[in-house]
Amino acid sequence: MKPYLFLIALLTMLAGCDQQPTGEVMPAEKSANTLRLSDATYVLLRGTHQKSHKKPNGAGFVSMHEFVYAGVDKIAENDVYAVLKNNGYTRKIISNDATQFKVQYYKKSLPPIGAIFVTRAKEGGHETLANIYWQEK
């Protein structure tokens, strides 16, 4: 094989490796900040994962996840929405007042994802507690 053909083939293969992040995480890349959605999609959030649990109800259970973000509620919500938007979700703001910022995210054929963002004062700034939840069977 001629050296220039090898070089062109090598550069072509390497060009395919430069993919933009989509917000979706492969299972091998799971970390503490990875959230598994109801459609089995993994997304990576920038907040720090605090805890996850399932709360039983009459329709099955609610999957609940808590993350902490540095800064105010709008910064935290922008991170969550950017990741979900890349995965086909739309959003609707439910309430926006001094105590909380509440949003629902929708994707066809899936239960809506709810999120409540509460900002609290912290020495040297603010932090936001993000509670993300959805219904599962």
Side-chain angles (χ1 to χ4, degrees):
M1 177 181 251
K2 305 224 181 226
Y4 66 90
L5 289 177
F6 176 74
L7 183 59
I8 291 172
L10 179 63
L11 290 174
T12 303
M13 288 187 294
L14 289 176
C17 295
D18 191 4
Q19 297 175 356
Q20 296 297 320
T22 64
E24 186 173 331
V25 178
M26 296 305 198
E29 299 173 0
K30 283 189 251 180
S31 71
N33 297 351
T34 302
L35 182 62
R36 184 177 186 265
L37 302 177
S38 61
D39 64 353
T41 301
Y42 289 91
V43 294
L44 181 62
L45 299 176
R46 291 185 183 142
T48 303
H49 182 258
Q50 298 298 301
K51 63 183 175 181
S52 291
H53 64 280
K54 295 179 180 182
K55 185 176 180 180
N57 63 16
F61 60 89
V62 177
S63 184
M64 303 176 81
H65 310 275
E66 188 175 293
F67 288 82
V68 173
Y69 283 83
V72 296
D73 53 6
K74 305 304 186 284
I75 293 170
E77 196 280 331
N78 283 338
D79 175 54
V80 173
Y81 180 53
V83 169
L84 293 177
K85 183 178 179 182
N86 283 339
N87 285 283
Y89 286 83
T90 59
R91 77 172 168 182
K92 179 180 179 185
I93 297 172
I94 305 301
S95 70
N96 182 11
D97 58 40
T99 60
Q100 69 180 3
F101 185 50
K102 193 173 190 178
V103 182
Q104 285 193 338
Y105 306 95
Y106 301 94
K107 186 174 182 179
K108 188 176 181 178
S109 302
L110 292 175
I113 296 174
I116 300 172
F117 302 90
V118 178
T119 300
R120 52 190 177 200
K122 181 182 171 186
E123 188 176 318
H126 294 90
E127 72 178 8
T128 297
L129 180 62
N131 288 298
I132 303 167
Y133 55 92
W134 59 85
Q135 178 67 43
E136 292 193 21
K137 294 180 182 180

